[in-house]
């Protein structure tokens, strides 16, 4: 005997004879497991694309927690946040709404290196994400541990929770972060956990291994948090935000900060290092308890002292955790040493003589799955409809996780709709570089994005992410029309300003006073503004001194974003054109497809190593094959012959 009652978007099915009920609709289009940065972006993307979506997480109070530093962006990471925003994701908007400081890094270098970064209010960041998700149509929530996945043959059909509840789905996105069999280390102590104060997740790894997935272990760590009331900031160097701060989101729903909180900087010393060394015999890093590999570019303080023994000091960045809290994050002091060693050493740092701990630093080990087991869509090769995103793929960082979550959510939705997958190339986005690196090269240590990983970084600037990606986000139904119109206005206004420079001339008597002042050769005859502006000695501030330029800007009401875009197009035109030509040549190889059932073993004229790597990765194009470690240019030449080229 059954009774069915509709409640909101749930179907409440009550089995009277057995006394059980299900609070879930028959089958979701997308289930997202995990409520971290990857899970939040995945759930938002799938729901905003019209799919019925369920976000399952162990604790709804901890959605979008900043488990480590309270900041978003940074070198290359800031570009990723702007790309997420350009596509229609939420990270940029949430970061802007909850920022307490904003900086544009690397301004002394070219625009390809400029990277936005904000200091965040940790509590408000998580709250804003929760509120934005709750305001997203088609998105349901459920708090419980997912302990396994349900498959039929090689196809995903749902998930199973620790209470034995089975929830059906057409696609599933796993974004488990550091929770899979997580193990926390503080000195000699170790205990299960996915994050301080939260339990680890069990069962998923074992299910995936039984299905044939290869897994491994990685490590990351976090520093102590301290009471700001116990610090002496007069002994530290103040680190204020930008005088004229920018923001992440291209939309007009957020505004730049008007008030900011400062960070501070101090240094370790030989005294601090000696105190830390006293605890090395009790460190899980050095006594063998931690066997997994940690992030190369964010090492623990004990690792820095050991690896860089010639350095007599290391920087520590003292970062506030929010507008009103007294809690501070000690960036640069990540550690798994015993808490008493951490405390004694930190008290010898200038400004920390009377420090009080809120909580000690710790290391955490967790399961990950080598990402060579994925397609470019982040769907697994073994199980149809199952997607991985975030630290489960061996990456580190909120931004790297969020971008994968966005792409996995998009492609899960497109799969449900039986539409073509959404894949970004290496010359289109840092997100494309990240995913291609992961699935083509794999990673044996936590992967972090840098500008140096992107061979087309002059094309992939933070200032033009909307021009590159908003049309693509709109085409798949994620970025809204107002985003597209805003991008089109920026593009058209920038192009018109550029045309003005190309068509308008300057006379010597107009230009020479500025040229001489800047140490540039004076003009002897009139010349186009574009050519004069391209001189390396001149910048935009110089050109605004010319009445014609100032009048054009005022007449057309150009904002700083449009002006900056035109300036970059003038100053770096040669570099941009060179990279475009190079990308076009490489992309010709992206069009040479390799059949999915191609037998690489039959090509005896390529190396054994190449055959082994090609069989493992199963590249879909010649271009992807060329990026596999161990596949030489001569191997690619042979492959091209077999492909009829």
């Amino acid at each position: 005997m059954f009774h069915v009652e509709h409640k909101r978007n749930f179907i409440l099915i009550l089995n009277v004879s057995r006394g059980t009920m299900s609070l879930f609709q028959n089958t979701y289009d997308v289930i997202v497991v995990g409520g971290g940065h990857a899970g939040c972006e995945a759930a938002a993307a799938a729901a905003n694309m019209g799919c019925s979506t369920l976000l399952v997480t162990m604790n709804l109070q901890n959605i979008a927690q900043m488990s480590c530093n309270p900041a978003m962006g940074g070198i290359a990471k800031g570009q990723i946040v702007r790309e997420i925003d350009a596509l229609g994701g939420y990270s940029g908007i949430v970061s802007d709404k909850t920022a307490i400081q904003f900086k544009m890094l690397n301004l002394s270098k070219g625009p390809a290196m400029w990277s936005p970064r904000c200091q965040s209010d940790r509590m408000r960041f998580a709250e804003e994400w929760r509120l934005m998700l709750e305001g997203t149509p088609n998105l349901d929530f459920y708090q419980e541990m997912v302990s396994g996945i349900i498959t039929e043959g090689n196809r995903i059909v749902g998930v199973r929770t620790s209470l034995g509840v089975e929830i059906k789905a057409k696609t599933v996105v796993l974004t488990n972060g550091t929770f899979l069999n997580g193990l926390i280390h503080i000195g000699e102590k170790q205990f299960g956990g996915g994050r301080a104060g939260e339990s680890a997740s069990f069962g998923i790894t074992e299910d995936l291994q039984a299905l044939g997935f290869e897994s491994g272990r990685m490590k990351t760590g976090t520093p102590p948090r301290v009471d700001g009331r116990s610090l002496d900031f007069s002994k530290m160097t103040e680190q204020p935000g930008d005088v004229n701060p920018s923001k992440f989101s291209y939309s007009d729903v957020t505004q730049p900060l008007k008030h900011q909180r400062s960070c501070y900087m101090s240094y370790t010393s030989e005294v601090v290092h000696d105190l830390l060394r006293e605890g090395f015999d009790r460190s899980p890093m050095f006594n063998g308890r931690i066997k997994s590999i940690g992030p190369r570019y964010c090492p623990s303080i004990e690792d820095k002292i050991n690896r860089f023994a010639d350095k007599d000091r290391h920087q520590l960045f003292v970062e506030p955790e929010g507008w009103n809290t007294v809690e501070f994050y000690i960036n640069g002091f990540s550690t798994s040493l015993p808490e008493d060693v951490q405390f004694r050493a930190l008290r010898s740092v200038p400004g920390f003589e009377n420090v009080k701990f809120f909580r000690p630093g710790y290391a955490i080990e967790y399961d990950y799955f080598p990402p060579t087991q994925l397609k470019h869509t982040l769907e697994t090769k073994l199980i149809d409809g199952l997607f991985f995103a975030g630290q489960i793929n061996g990456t580190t960082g909120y931004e790297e996780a969020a971008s994968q979550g966005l792409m996995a959510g998009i492609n899960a939705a497109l799969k449900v709709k039986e539409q073509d997958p959404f894949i970004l190339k290496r010359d289109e986005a840092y997100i494309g570089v990240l995913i291609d690196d992961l699935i083509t090269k794999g990673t044996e240590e936590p992967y972090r994005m840098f500008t140096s990983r992107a061979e087309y970084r002059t094309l992939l600037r933070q200032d033009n992410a909307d021009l590159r990606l908003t049309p693509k986000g709109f085409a798949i139904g994620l970025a809204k029309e107002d985003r597209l119109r805003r991008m089109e206005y920026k593009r058209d206004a920038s192009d018109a300003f550029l045309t003005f420079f190309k068509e308008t001339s300057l006379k010597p008597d107009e230009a020479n006073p500025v040229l001489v002042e800047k140490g540039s050769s004076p003009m002897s005859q009139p010349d186009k503004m574009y050519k004069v502006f391209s001189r390396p000695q001149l910048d935009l501030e110089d050109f605004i001194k010319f009445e014609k330029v100032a009048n054009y800007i005022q007449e057309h009401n150009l904002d700083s974003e449009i002006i900056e875009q035109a300036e970059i197009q003038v100053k770096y035109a040669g570099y941009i054109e060179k990279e475009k030509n190079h990308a076009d040549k490489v992309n010709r190889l992206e069009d040479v497809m390799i059949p999915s059932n191609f037998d690489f073993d039959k090509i005896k004229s390529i190396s054994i190593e190449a055959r082994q790597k090609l069989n493992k990765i199963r590249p879909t194009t010649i271009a992807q094959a060329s990026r596999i470690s161990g596949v030489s240019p001569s191997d690619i030449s042979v492959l091209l012959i077999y492909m009829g080229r």
Side-chain angles (χ1 to χ4, degrees):
M1 179 178 177
F2 294 91
H3 173 66
V4 179
E5 179 184 349
H6 291 279
K7 288 199 172 183
R8 292 186 185 176
N9 53 338
F10 293 114
I11 298 178
L12 177 59
I13 304 175
L14 178 62
N15 184 328
V16 178
S17 61
R18 296 180 60 187
T20 62
M21 66 179 177
S22 173
L23 281 172
F24 303 101
Q25 60 185 54
N26 291 334
T27 301
Y28 281 95
D29 291 327
V30 182
I31 290 178
V32 177
V33 180
H37 298 262
C40 288
E41 286 288 4
N48 280 324
M49 291 174 68
C51 289
S52 59
T53 305
L54 176 68
L55 176 61
V56 188
T57 186
M58 291 198 294
N59 190 342
L60 286 170
Q61 305 309 312
N62 293 332
I63 279 179
Q65 278 292 309
M66 293 181 130
S67 306
C68 203
N69 62 318
M72 287 292 284
I75 307 301
K77 294 168 174 279
Q79 283 87 329
I80 290 176
V81 177
R82 298 215 89 185
E83 290 178 350
I84 292 170
D85 183 76
L87 286 166
Y90 285 174
S91 288
I93 293 173
V94 173
S95 297
D96 286 344
K97 286 185 174 182
T98 59
I100 62 175
Q101 187 194 89
F102 190 95
K103 274 190 173 183
M104 187 67 75
L105 307 181
N106 280 342
L107 281 176
S108 62
K109 302 179 181 179
M113 306 295 286
W114 299 350
S115 302
R117 182 185 189 270
C118 77
Q119 202 68 34
S120 301
D121 186 312
R122 183 191 299 274
M123 291 182 286
R124 291 194 60 229
F125 185 92
E127 177 190 34
E128 186 63 33
W129 253 115
R130 171 78 178 256
L131 294 175
M132 288 193 71
L133 289 175
E134 288 186 359
T136 301
N138 308 311
L139 181 57
D140 296 339
F141 304 85
Y142 187 57
Q143 177 174 299
E144 222 214 298
M145 180 197 297
V146 171
S147 59
I149 60 172
I150 307 170
T151 59
E152 291 179 359
N154 67 340
R155 183 171 60 89
I156 194 79
V157 294
V159 300
R160 183 187 312 104
T161 74
S162 58
L163 293 177
V165 177
E166 294 189 352
I167 314 169
K168 297 300 179 67
K170 298 173 184 176
T171 59
V172 171
V173 183
L174 296 183
T175 69
N176 303 86
T178 59
F179 283 78
L180 292 179
N181 294 321
L183 186 64
I184 293 174
H185 298 266
I186 304 177
E188 303 97 330
K189 306 177 185 73
Q190 60 182 41
F191 47 91
R195 192 161 46 206
E198 297 180 60
S199 64
S201 173
F202 304 101
I204 291 178
T205 293
E206 293 71 22
D207 273 9
L208 293 173
Q209 288 173 336
L211 290 167
F213 284 92
E214 174 190 352
S215 68
R217 295 282 279 178
M218 281 190 176
K219 174 195 85 79
T220 190
T222 192
R225 272 63 157 194
V226 305
D227 189 335
R229 297 170 297 183
S230 66
L231 303 179
D232 185 352
F233 294 105
S234 68
K235 296 182 179 180
M236 307 179 198
T237 304
E238 187 175 5
Q239 302 279 300
D242 288 346
V243 175
N244 296 305
S246 183
K247 62 193 187 79
F248 280 111
S249 181
Y250 292 99
S251 71
D252 55 8
V253 299
T254 62
Q255 298 298 321
L257 285 170
K258 293 183 179 179
H259 306 287
Q260 303 185 67
R261 279 201 72 175
S262 288
C263 298
Y264 296 85
M265 184 170 66
S266 191
Y267 292 90
T268 63
S269 63
E270 284 291 0
V271 173
V272 175
H273 297 177
D274 288 341
L275 289 169
L276 290 168
R277 288 188 186 99
E278 290 178 9
F280 277 11
D281 61 325
R282 300 164 62 196
S283 167
M285 276 189 56
F286 298 125
N287 62 21
R289 278 199 300 277
I290 292 180
K291 297 180 172 60
S292 48
I293 300 174
R296 178 188 300 268
Y297 301 104
C298 189
S300 64
I301 187 65
E302 55 263 42
D303 194 23
K304 283 192 279 192
I305 293 170
N306 191 49
R307 285 166 51 190
F308 308 109
D310 58 318
K311 304 290 184 184
D312 58 7
R313 69 176 190 171
H314 295 284
Q315 290 178 327
L316 298 180
F317 295 96
V318 186
E319 303 176 343
E321 298 248 329
W323 283 114
N324 302 312
T325 181
V326 298
E327 187 173 2
F328 276 74
Y329 175 92
I330 313 306
N331 196 340
F333 205 85
S334 177
T335 182
S336 59
L337 285 164
E339 61 272 29
D340 59 307
V341 176
Q342 298 180 34
F343 183 69
R344 286 200 309 273
L346 203 52
R347 280 213 156 186
S348 295
V349 173
F352 285 77
E353 293 83 0
N354 299 304
V355 69
K356 295 179 181 179
F357 271 29
F358 272 16
R359 43 185 162 147
Y362 62 88
I364 181 168
E365 288 185 287
Y366 55 93
D367 294 338
Y368 85 104
F369 290 80
T372 51
Q373 301 171 100
L374 304 176
K375 304 173 184 177
H376 272 95
T377 58
L378 297 180
E379 184 180 18
T380 64
K381 295 174 182 177
L382 283 176
I383 301 298
D384 190 59
L386 177 63
F387 296 77
F388 292 172
Q391 285 176 288
I392 192 173
N393 290 336
T395 61
T396 180
Y398 309 144
E399 304 82 2
E400 289 89 343
S403 66
Q404 293 172 70
L406 179 76
M407 296 298 285
I410 288 171
N411 280 305
L414 292 173
K415 188 175 185 70
V416 168
K417 296 179 178 184
E418 298 183 350
Q419 295 177 5
D420 291 338
F422 182 65
I423 297 170
L424 293 170
K425 297 178 183 177
R426 296 181 71 91
D427 65 323
E428 292 177 323
Y430 271 92
I431 297 173
V433 175
L434 167 67
I435 293 175
D436 186 66
D437 276 356
L438 290 174
I439 70 162
T440 301
K441 302 173 183 177
T443 185
E444 295 180 351
E445 61 185 51
Y447 178 102
R448 179 179 179 179
M449 179 53 72
F450 288 101
T451 51
S452 58
R453 295 191 190 273
E455 62 270 39
Y456 305 116
R457 55 186 171 273
T458 305
L459 303 180
L460 309 181
R461 305 181 311 277
Q462 58 84 30
D463 61 90
N464 70 350
D466 55 341
L467 302 176
R468 292 185 277 118
L469 299 177
T470 297
K472 296 179 184 292
F474 179 75
I476 60 173
L478 186 56
K480 300 298 185 280
E481 186 173 358
D482 63 320
R483 289 289 196 116
L484 183 68
R485 300 293 167 245
R486 185 179 178 86
M487 181 280 302
E488 289 173 340
Y489 168 73
K490 173 183 171 180
R491 179 197 62 202
D492 295 344
S494 299
D495 288 347
F497 196 25
L498 204 59
T499 300
F500 166 75
F501 279 120
K502 291 178 178 179
E503 295 179 349
T504 307
S505 296
L506 275 178
K507 296 177 181 178
D509 60 339
E510 293 178 287
N512 285 342
V514 175
L515 295 178
V516 172
E517 179 187 347
K518 299 296 289 191
S520 186
S521 301
M523 294 166 50
S524 59
Q525 59 185 21
D527 209 344
K528 297 297 184 186
M529 280 188 178
Y530 186 93
K531 187 174 180 181
V532 180
F533 194 13
S534 63
R535 294 190 184 196
Q537 298 91 345
L538 302 182
D539 57 30
L540 187 62
E541 289 185 5
D542 299 316
F543 249 66
I544 293 177
K545 296 175 184 177
F546 297 124
E547 185 177 354
K548 294 176 182 177
V549 178
N551 288 341
Y552 184 94
I553 291 173
Q554 185 175 9
E555 180 183 343
H556 293 83
N557 194 28
L558 302 185
D559 60 28
S560 59
E561 199 173 352
I562 293 169
I563 296 169
E564 177 186 78
Q565 189 62 218
E567 180 185 17
I568 291 170
Q569 292 297 325
V570 173
K571 305 292 283 186
Y572 297 91
Y575 299 102
I576 293 170
E577 189 62 29
K578 185 177 180 179
E579 274 197 6
K580 282 182 178 177
N581 291 336
H582 184 220
D584 289 342
K585 291 178 182 177
V586 173
N587 281 335
R588 291 173 199 152
L589 294 181
E590 296 283 5
D591 295 331
V592 184
M593 306 300 294
I594 301 174
S596 59
N597 60 349
F598 188 82
D599 183 7
F600 295 103
D601 287 326
K602 72 181 181 182
I603 312 177
K604 303 302 180 184
S605 49
I606 64 176
S607 68
I608 294 175
E609 180 186 5
R611 273 181 272 160
Q612 291 173 341
K613 295 285 182 68
L614 290 166
N615 275 319
K616 180 179 181 180
I617 305 298
R618 305 300 305 177
T620 56
T621 68
I622 291 292
Q624 186 190 356
S626 71
R627 294 189 290 268
I628 298 174
S629 173
V631 178
S632 69
S634 62
D635 296 326
I636 295 300
S637 296
V638 174
L639 272 176
L640 281 168
I641 293 171
Y642 269 81
M643 295 296 110
R645 300 297 178 103

